[in-house]
Amino acid sequence: MTDSAQNSPPQTAPTATATSPTETEQTKTEQTKATPNGVEHRSLVLTSYDPRTSELLGDYAMMGADEVTRTIREAKSAQRWWAGLGSAGRKRWLLDWKKAIAKRAADLVEVVVQETGKPHDDAWLEVMLAVEHLDWAAKNAGKVLDRHKVRSGLVAINQASSVGYEPLGVVGVIGPWNYPVYTPMGSIAYALAAGNAVVFKPSELTPGTGTWLAETWRTLAPNQPVFQVVTGDADTGAALCRSRVDKVAFTGSAATARKVLAICAESLTPAVIEGGGKDAMIVGADAKLDDAAEAAVFGGMGNAGQTCVGVERVYAVETVFDDFVALVEKKARKLKPGADRGAAYGPMTREAQVEVVRNHVRDALDKGGTAVVGGLDSIREPYIQPIVLVDVPEDSIAVTEETFGPVLVINRVRDLSEAIARANATSYALGASVFTRDTRTGQWVAERLRAGVVTINSVLGFAGVAALPFGGVGDSGFGRIHGADGLREFSRVKSIARQKRRAPLHLLTMDRKARHLRLSKWVFKTRHAR
Ligand code: NAD
């Protein structure tokens, strides 16, 4: 497949690799560059580092408002071509893009591993899941969004009614670093499939991953910049919010979400917010304890706990509490973080997060919690050994705020009702899980949990189900990505009512006949007042 227009999108390829920096968090550096006329000028550069080794991976453009504006302009023009293809045409392009990503998945995995430090297997899992979403969005957009008839009903029987979902225009996607492919793809794939152009601002910690994705699109359609990347930090993200895009899809912390919304408010730009989480797992008296413990350790420690829908809190019913904790303890002790291929998980990708984790663990212990695995000594930058805390007071920040580290808090509860009340007590409400052998009990609990998604007898079981909408409540955000709702999130609904013939009871006229209204009243009473 080839495109036809002449303009090429801007390049954001890395400009250097080599030497070791002294601090990994220092992603913004000033560089002096010589121009062809010999005049030196200073420019800001975004530098990406490997959090395992502090090795410099590459320099990327620190894009400012002008570059963002230029990118949006190009996106607007490409979007007209893209929208004109219709869902069937876009499906072909998106499936080609999917194939290009899948063919070179090993390269993408390598970039993700280097930028986040996560083990190869985890990066593979992330890329495979992201591709599933791209595939689903491409294949289902037509079914969900194309114009379709709806019933007009008795009182408007003379109307032919239909609903269609139109693209918004250009969507600005702002992503985090913890799942730098899977997470933004939840917006990118669905926004593109709905006919929008996308300008993606990856996290300053993972600019290479975002650039890799944009390059695969550019190789496919060099003259149609339907999907582009702008690299940079918070200022670049803010510039994207100010750039009059038609919607912002933000994924990140609740604190940044507030800033994003404040900027969007200036121009009434709508936004979908995928915020953080403090997910709870509930373990019932009849749960398969070994399965529950395995899931708690995976959900709590996987990706070094840097998962928005990871398990941060467990509420286990007191009759099984001790047995459950013993199983978790045994499994957690086996985990060894590191940089080697056999490591259970990698380093803390964001250096500053280490201090957050330390504060949470210290507060939990100071308030009377007990560490059954690890403790404050487990925190040695950039790796944190597994930490399991029990009987942590509910007002501890390890219970109320997002820890985002390999720390599991397990508290005992009398019964499922108390577990639900505690699970629902934080400002976050993203995901939750429940373990029970009884299907009806599982459903009963799931329906009472304040969360955007609940898994029964698994954690993260929803992640591969592209048809399931995903998103949070409260500090975890609003709006939905994934599934049919995810496609509609990036669309504007338009209703059309076509009059086929004059209505038998003609009421929409200034010459309304008394007889018609009399008859209408009779129909109304007969239908609704009996
Ligand atoms: P963050 O809020 O620090 O940054 C997210 C993105 O926002 C980055 O690209 C950053 O450059 C940009 N940004 C920062 N300030 C900005 C501003 N003023 N205006 C516009 N953009 C700005 O989050 P993070 O540390 O990258 O990611 C971790 C957080 O993301 C956690 O809270 C995690 O739970 C959450 N997360 C949520 C989901 C989800 O789907 N709900 C998925 C993954 C991560």
Side-chain angles (χ1 to χ4, degrees):
M1 188 168 279
T2 55
D3 55 328
S4 55
Q6 299 305 309
N7 298 332
S8 287
Q11 306 279 311
T12 53
T15 52
T17 52
T19 59
S20 290
T22 46
E23 54 177 332
T24 55
E25 282 286 291
Q26 183 58 36
T27 53
K28 196 186 219 174
T29 51
E30 269 206 347
Q31 286 199 348
T32 305
K33 290 212 172 109
T35 58
N37 60 11
V39 177
E40 290 197 335
H41 73 94
R42 292 161 78 77
S43 66
L44 284 172
V45 184
L46 178 70
T47 306
S48 170
Y49 298 102
D50 185 329
R52 299 166 299 180
T53 58
S54 296
E55 183 195 348
L56 191 154
L57 297 172
D59 287 340
Y60 296 82
M62 183 69 82
M63 294 193 180
D66 289 350
E67 282 143 313
V68 171
T69 305
R70 200 188 63 227
T71 309
I72 300 293
R73 205 167 35 238
E74 289 174 356
K76 274 189 198 301
S77 139
Q79 192 269 333
R80 286 192 279 278
W81 165 76
W82 187 238
L85 292 178
S87 57
R90 290 194 294 270
K91 175 178 163 183
R92 285 195 291 276
W93 278 95
L94 289 174
L95 292 180
D96 279 359
W97 189 39
K98 174 199 82 166
K99 211 182 293 172
I101 295 172
K103 270 191 186 160
R104 294 181 51 215
D107 297 345
L108 177 57
V109 163
E110 207 52 52
V111 182
V112 172
V113 168
Q114 286 181 350
E115 289 199 321
T116 63
K118 68 174 69 176
H120 281 77
D121 290 358
D122 287 359
W124 265 108
L125 192 58
E126 174 178 355
V127 169
M128 289 190 292
L129 286 174
V131 165
E132 287 299 329
H133 278 276
L134 178 53
D135 183 66
W136 193 93
K139 290 177 178 163
N140 288 279
K143 217 179 315 173
V144 175
L145 305 176
D146 283 357
R147 183 154 292 282
H148 54 273
K149 288 183 186 158
V150 293
R151 287 169 71 91
S152 298
L154 185 65
V155 296
I157 201 159
N158 62 323
Q159 302 286 343
S161 306
S162 66
V163 171
Y165 293 83
E166 300 174 352
L168 299 172
V170 179
V171 174
V173 174
I174 299 175
W177 45 265
N178 59 336
Y179 290 91
V181 180
Y182 176 78
T183 293
M185 193 57 91
S187 298
I188 294 166
Y190 292 79
L192 286 173
N196 304 282
V198 170
V199 175
F200 172 38
K201 207 295 278 177
S203 164
E204 47 272 57
L205 299 185
T206 54
T209 306
T211 300
W212 191 98
L213 287 172
E215 283 298 308
T216 50
W217 176 266
R218 208 177 66 82
T219 308
L220 206 62
N223 302 319
Q224 294 296 0
V226 165
F227 174 56
Q228 300 176 81
V229 156
V230 287
T231 48
D233 61 2
D235 291 343
T236 314
L240 186 58
C241 297
R242 281 197 185 91
S243 66
R244 298 267 173 179
V245 285
D246 297 283
K247 187 157 197 169
V248 168
F250 170 81
T251 307
S253 61
T256 309
R258 287 182 170 84
K259 294 182 193 162
V260 164
L261 284 177
I263 300 171
C264 288
E266 292 166 14
S267 54
L268 281 185
T269 300
V272 47
I273 300 291
E274 297 295 338
K278 190 70 191 174
D279 289 12
M281 172 195 276
I282 293 177
V283 181
D286 65 343
K288 285 186 185 168
L289 290 187
D290 203 57
D291 289 0
E294 183 187 338
V297 171
F298 170 67
M301 314 290 175
N303 203 32
Q306 303 166 121
T307 305
C308 57
V309 277
V311 178
E312 297 227 346
R313 306 173 285 155
V314 183
Y315 294 108
V317 168
E318 56 195 359
T319 49
V320 294
F321 181 85
D322 291 339
D323 290 346
F324 174 75
V325 171
L327 286 166
V328 169
E329 198 180 321
K330 199 166 143 209
K331 292 177 196 297
R333 282 190 194 285
K334 286 191 198 148
L335 303 182
K336 299 277 173 272
D340 52 294
R341 282 200 175 241
Y345 57 84
M348 300 305 286
T349 306
R350 190 171 156 259
E351 207 176 282
Q353 199 63 30
V354 174
E355 204 44 40
V356 175
V357 174
R358 189 177 278 121
N359 285 340
H360 282 207
V361 174
R362 187 183 290 122
D363 185 59
L365 297 175
D366 286 353
K367 287 202 165 103
T370 305
V372 293
V373 177
L376 282 169
D377 290 348
S378 312
I379 304 169
R380 284 176 236 119
E381 290 164 34
Y383 296 99
I384 300 182
Q385 307 286 329
I387 300 173
V388 180
L389 307 169
V390 298
D391 297 324
V392 178
E394 292 286 303
D395 64 348
S396 155
I397 50 174
V399 175
T400 58
E401 291 175 19
E402 188 177 41
T403 306
F404 229 50
V407 180
L408 210 47
V409 169
I410 312 177
N411 281 347
R412 67 186 83 221
V413 285
R414 273 189 321 277
D415 52 26
L416 292 177
S417 295
E418 186 184 359
I420 294 166
R422 292 203 188 182
N424 289 349
T426 70
S427 59
Y428 293 102
L430 193 56
S433 54
V434 52
F435 279 74
T436 168
R437 279 175 218 255
D438 186 69
T439 307
R440 289 210 342 235
T441 303
Q443 197 67 25
W444 184 85
V445 173
E447 282 168 15
R448 281 156 183 77
L449 283 167
R450 183 172 167 267
V453 60
V454 180
T455 50
I456 302 172
N457 293 331
S458 85
V459 292
L460 292 154
F462 65 88
V465 188
L468 280 176
F470 176 73
V473 182
D475 278 355
S476 296
F478 48 79
R480 292 295 179 264
I481 56 172
H482 303 171
D485 292 88
L487 288 165
R488 292 190 195 106
E489 188 74 49
F490 299 107
S491 312
R492 195 177 288 121
V493 63
K494 184 183 281 176
S495 302
I496 298 181
R498 178 175 59 83
Q499 181 156 305
K500 295 181 288 185
R501 66 189 90 85
R502 178 177 276 219
L505 299 177
H506 191 40
L507 303 178
L508 305 180
T509 169
M510 302 308 281
D511 294 328
R512 194 180 296 139
K513 303 253 184 323
R515 183 166 51 85
H516 284 190
L517 191 62
R518 230 180 9 258
L519 208 51
S520 293
K521 284 184 189 167
W522 178 81
V523 172
F524 165 75
K525 290 261 168 122
T526 310
R527 293 184 67 222
H528 301 299
R530 284 194 305 173

